[in-house]
């Protein structure tokens, strides 16, 4: 049987979800389920999930990508990453039913898709690993800190920035106002953080620390979401100890943006994933 790409339709409560199964002719026992970030659908930005799935399938790994309820082709009302546990459960059930010989699955998530994977992973013993790319741990204060640390400092080191000032093409009052706003956000502490996001890093830590499978964290250096996660992961002794555990691996993709939009970035992430899957 040649490699196949199979259209899927499967239920989640009373609504239908749609996806695509990439089924190699000789699939490994460990497959990958993509958990996309939102608002997003199963192909991904510049078809990143489609192309990654084909890269993985060419190496003998079965892959499934799908749309949550309310996204892409799937039925239902839109929902955010904290409300997709039933969607993930339904997708995993369909994935196992349609992939003979598969005994375990890895959740592969980008941005808040990575966060959704973390929230769900402990609920299913068939999930033995996670690949988390630029995980979303956003808080108002955390975003402001990351912006100050990774944007403003970098700008001060760029010759083009100073040339712009020398030529009078830099809007100093607007920049100063933005900087003051970021500083106020950082200095105001937790009270300035929206209540709904207040405990997101803590919830991520709790769910991650309970997961007993293997975890690969991939961070793109030119991405504030990734830098915010990096800051959180080094913010406390608990986080530092967790990231140093033997079952946690980290890769940093230098120069890449949030959606790793260049081909060589995407292919590098693909190679890292496959090597990690093989235990290299």
């Amino acid at each position: 049987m040649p490699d196949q790409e199979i259209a899927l339709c499967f239920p989640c409560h009373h609504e239908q979800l749609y996806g695509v199964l990439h089924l190699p002719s000789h699939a490994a026992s460990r497959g990958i389920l993509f958990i996309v970030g939102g608002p997003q659908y199963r192909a991904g930005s510049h078809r990143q999930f489609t192309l990654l799935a084909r890269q993985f399938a060419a190496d003998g790994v079965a892959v499934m990508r799908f749309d949550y309820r309310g996204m892409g082709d799937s039925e239902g009302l839109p929902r955010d990453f904290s409300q997709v546990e039933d969607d993930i459960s339904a997708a995993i059930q369909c994935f196992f039913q349609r992939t003979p010989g598969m005994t375990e699955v890895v959740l592969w998530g980008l941005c808040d898709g990575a966060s959704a994977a973390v929230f769900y992973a402990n609920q299913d013993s068939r999930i033995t690993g996670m690949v988390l790319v630029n995980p979303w741990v956003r808080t108002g204060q955390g975003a402001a800190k990351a912006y100050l640390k990774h944007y403003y400092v970098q700008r001060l080191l760029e010759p083009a920035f100073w040339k712009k000032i020398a030529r009078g093409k830099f809007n100093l009052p607007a920049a100063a106002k933005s900087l003051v706003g970021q500083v106020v956000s950082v200095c105001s502490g937790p009270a300035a953080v929206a209540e709904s996001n207040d405990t997101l890093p803590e919830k991520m830590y709790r769910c991650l620390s309970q997961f007993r499978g293997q975890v690969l964290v991939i961070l793109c250096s030119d991405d504030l979401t990734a830098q915010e996660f990096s800051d959180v992961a080094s913010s406390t002794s608990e986080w530092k100890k967790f990231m140093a555990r033997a079952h946690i691996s980290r890769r940093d993709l230098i120069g890449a943006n949030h959606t790793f939009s260049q081909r060589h970035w995407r292919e590098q992430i693909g190679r890292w994933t496959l090597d990690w899957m093989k235990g290299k």
Side-chain angles (χ1 to χ4, degrees):
M1 181 182 69
D3 294 355
Q4 300 180 76
E5 293 186 9
I6 304 167
L8 302 173
C9 177
F10 54 97
C12 180
H13 295 299
H14 302 294
E15 290 153 332
Q16 296 297 311
L17 307 188
Y18 293 87
V20 176
L21 172 64
H22 298 253
L23 187 61
S25 55
H26 300 286
S29 61
R30 197 183 200 195
I32 293 177
L33 177 69
F34 277 117
I35 311 296
V36 303
Q40 188 70 263
Y41 88 116
R42 62 184 181 270
S45 301
H46 38 83
R47 299 174 66 240
Q48 61 192 179
F49 298 124
T50 301
L51 297 171
L52 277 170
R54 289 172 178 170
Q55 181 180 357
F56 299 154
D59 204 63
V61 178
V63 183
M64 179 176 167
R65 49 192 177 86
F66 74 105
D67 297 332
Y68 303 143
R69 284 171 292 173
M71 300 301 297
D73 294 315
S74 293
E75 299 175 350
L77 297 174
R79 58 205 66 235
D80 68 24
F81 70 99
S82 66
Q83 303 170 309
V84 296
E85 292 185 353
D86 290 346
D87 305 68
I88 296 173
S89 177
I92 290 175
Q93 187 65 23
C94 176
F95 195 9
F96 274 92
Q97 289 174 349
R98 299 297 298 269
T99 310
M102 190 173 73
T103 59
E104 53 186 291
V105 66
V106 167
L107 301 183
W108 199 109
L110 168 65
C111 193
D112 60 17
S115 305
V118 170
F119 295 162
Y120 180 82
N122 290 308
Q123 302 179 35
D124 193 326
S125 61
R126 295 172 296 182
I127 299 170
T128 59
M130 291 188 289
V131 179
L132 311 176
V133 185
N134 304 327
W136 178 264
V137 289
R138 178 61 48 86
T139 65
Q141 187 183 18
K145 284 182 177 179
Y147 201 69
L148 285 173
K149 180 178 178 181
H150 301 287
Y151 176 76
Y152 281 107
V153 172
Q154 180 180 337
R155 286 284 281 162
L156 290 173
L157 298 176
E158 293 175 352
F161 170 75
W162 295 104
K163 290 180 181 178
K164 196 172 184 180
I165 292 178
R167 294 170 182 167
K169 296 183 178 181
F170 183 75
N171 190 336
L172 186 59
K177 182 178 180 180
S178 175
L179 177 59
V180 169
Q182 298 291 344
V183 172
V184 168
S185 180
V186 170
C187 294
S188 60
V193 179
E195 183 178 354
S196 61
N197 287 337
D198 178 74
T199 61
L200 181 54
E202 289 76 13
K203 183 175 181 181
M204 285 285 284
Y205 174 79
R206 183 175 65 254
C207 293
L208 271 172
S209 62
Q210 293 171 352
F211 183 64
R212 294 295 175 260
Q214 300 292 312
V215 179
L216 172 62
V217 178
I218 300 175
L219 302 179
C220 297
S221 69
D222 193 19
D223 173 41
L224 285 175
T225 297
Q227 297 308 321
E228 187 173 356
F229 178 85
S230 184
D231 290 345
V232 166
S234 61
S235 62
T236 66
S237 59
E238 289 80 7
W239 264 107
K240 290 176 182 178
K241 289 177 182 177
F242 172 78
M243 293 299 293
R245 291 180 183 176
H247 71 290
I248 308 296
S249 302
R250 172 173 168 172
R251 299 288 184 272
D252 291 270
L253 191 54
I254 305 303
N257 56 23
H258 183 67
T259 58
F260 39 96
S261 57
Q262 295 187 25
R263 177 177 177 177
H264 67 278
W265 291 337
R266 186 192 72 249
E267 291 180 345
Q268 178 63 75
I269 286 177
R271 288 192 296 272
W272 279 340
T273 300
L274 290 169
D275 288 346
W276 171 83
M277 292 272 287
K278 297 171 184 175
K280 294 182 180 180

